[in-house]
């Protein structure tokens, strides 16, 4: 990971917005989640292409723009589009949002993704709050020379997903009558989808949903002491759970249908966070 580039990324954001009021937190909008940004009513933006180390997102449906939103008196950074390990550009682009947020003093990170449902009741269109994860990417973003930037060399991971934020998410869902499951997210490296045999194995390991992201950012943010909330939109049955083949079009199509619900939930969550943290 290139810490020098990460410092440049944070400096670029600080130069662009020198008078930024307190940044409470940030949200990374993954596959299919992009339009959730509109519900947070962003008032300014900076393309990823202008942020050193970020580069352009190489995945269709990921816009690649950092936006600022205000909830009450708090500022929220909205990263519309994410970089993935399977894009082959290393850990630096994946670390950029977490690093910027940390440098600006933000304490809360929300991660969103599209995932395949392994637990049978997680039907396409359902939402799942992530309680814990299994890292099967085959790599860890903290690998390499230890940098104090990310906290201790061997960070504890017994509570990566903050229980209070999970409660706030559940409360927000209940208030708006949005069904919200809870479960374990397993990250595989991608970019190929899994085989049915892999999904059967993942089920035995205790996974409820599978995707290709989120865990690296969660590892970094947890190591650096941030509080994390994460949520999956189940966009398809995982391979072999149903007989239909998987496609990126299905993934983004399902998320689009669930969009009004996703927008309501994320907005309500941040309002609750900003109220509580005032
Ligand atoms: N597998 C991996 N990643 C995914 C899936 C899936 O089934 N759906 C959306 N992202």
């Amino acid at each position: 990971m290139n810490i020098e580039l990460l410092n440049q990324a944070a400096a670029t954001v600080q130069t662009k917005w020198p008078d930024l009021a307190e940044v409470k937190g940030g949200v990374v909008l993954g596959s299919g989640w992009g339009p959730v940004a509109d519900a947070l009513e962003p008032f300014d933006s900076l393309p990823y292409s202008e942020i050193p180390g970020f580069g352009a997102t190489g995945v269709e449906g990921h816009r690649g723009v950092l936006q600022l939103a205000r909830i009450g008196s708090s500022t929220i950074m909205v990263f519309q589009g994410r970089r993935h390990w399977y894009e082959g550009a290393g850990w630096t682009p994946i670390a950029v949002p977490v690093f910027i947020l940390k440098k600006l003093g933000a304490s809360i990170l929300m991660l969103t993704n599209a995932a395949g449902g392994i637990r049978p009741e997680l039907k396409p269109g359902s939402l799942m709050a992530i309680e814990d994860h299994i890292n099967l990417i085959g790599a860890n973003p903290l690998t390499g020379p230890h940098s104090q930037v990310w906290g201790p060399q061997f960070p504890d991971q017994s509570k990566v997903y903050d229980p209070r934020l999970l409660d706030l998410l559940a409360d927000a869902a209940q208030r708006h009558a949005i069904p919200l499951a809870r479960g374990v997210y397993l990250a595989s490296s991608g970019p190929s989808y899994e085989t049915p045999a892999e999904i059967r194995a993942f089920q035995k390991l205790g996974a409820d949903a599978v995707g290709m992201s989120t865990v690296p950012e969660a590892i970094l943010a947890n190591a650096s002491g941030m509080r994390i909330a994460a949520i999956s939109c189940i966009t398809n049955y995982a391979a072999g759970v149903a007989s239909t083949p998987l496609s990126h079009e299905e993934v983004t199509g399902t998320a689009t249908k669930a969009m009004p619900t996703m927008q309501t939930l994320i907005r309500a969550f941040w309002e609750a966070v900003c109220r509580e943290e005032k």
Side-chain angles (χ1 to χ4, degrees):
M1 192 183 300
N2 188 331
I3 302 288
E4 178 52 37
L5 268 181
L6 292 173
N7 276 316
Q8 286 175 26
T12 302
V13 171
Q14 278 163 325
T15 305
K16 162 92 178 166
W17 293 304
D19 304 320
L20 218 49
E22 190 205 7
V23 180
K24 178 72 61 201
V27 49
V28 176
L29 297 174
S31 290
W33 284 82
V36 163
D38 300 339
L40 297 169
E41 297 166 36
F43 61 87
D44 206 353
S45 67
L46 179 65
Y48 287 2
S49 55
E50 291 178 23
I51 303 176
F54 225 155
T57 63
V59 188
E60 209 173 305
H62 287 252
R63 239 188 98 195
V65 62
L66 165 57
Q67 292 171 299
L68 287 186
R70 191 159 291 130
I71 309 254
S73 55
S74 306
T75 305
I76 307 289
M77 293 196 145
V78 185
F79 293 86
Q80 196 174 351
R82 76 145 45 80
R83 305 297 311 274
H84 303 79
W85 177 243
Y86 63 70
E87 292 174 57
W91 292 120
T92 305
I94 297 165
V96 167
V98 186
F99 189 89
I100 290 175
L101 286 166
K102 185 72 195 164
K103 266 280 146 100
L104 293 177
S107 58
I108 296 176
L109 174 65
M110 170 171 250
L111 299 166
T112 65
N113 62 50
I118 297 178
R119 203 166 78 209
E121 66 265 31
L122 290 174
K123 297 188 171 43
S126 21
L127 298 175
M128 184 190 89
I130 299 178
E131 276 183 322
D132 205 348
H133 73 231
I134 299 172
N135 179 16
L136 278 191
I137 288 180
N140 186 307
L142 292 169
T143 304
H146 176 235
S147 164
Q148 281 300 338
V149 165
W150 301 114
Q153 185 168 16
F154 304 104
D156 173 60
Q157 290 205 114
S158 45
K159 236 181 239 165
V160 173
Y161 302 92
D162 186 88
R164 179 64 193 148
L165 295 181
L166 267 165
D167 284 348
L168 288 181
L169 205 46
D171 289 349
Q174 201 177 22
R175 232 174 311 122
H176 292 275
I178 297 169
L180 180 66
R182 282 192 184 199
V184 173
Y185 174 89
L186 182 146
S188 67
S189 74
S192 46
Y193 289 112
E194 301 71 32
T195 64
E198 286 168 340
I199 294 300
R200 286 194 298 277
F202 294 171
Q203 189 169 28
K204 291 205 169 91
L205 291 178
D208 297 299
V210 60
M212 306 173 192
S213 68
T214 303
V215 166
E217 293 103 314
I219 290 173
L220 293 172
N222 173 70
S224 67
M226 294 179 79
R227 298 168 66 203
I228 304 165
I231 180 161
S232 295
C233 175
I234 307 297
T235 51
N236 55 280
Y237 288 112
V241 176
S243 53
T244 42
L246 274 54
S247 71
H248 189 58
E249 290 66 39
E250 181 192 7
V251 166
T252 49
T254 308
T256 302
K257 279 189 223 142
M259 189 50 61
T261 313
M262 287 148 67
Q263 287 178 324
T264 304
L265 181 59
I266 301 310
R267 167 108 210 161
F269 169 80
W270 279 108
E271 282 173 353
V273 166
C274 292
R275 250 196 323 271
E276 180 160 285
E277 296 261 325
K278 241 201 304 226

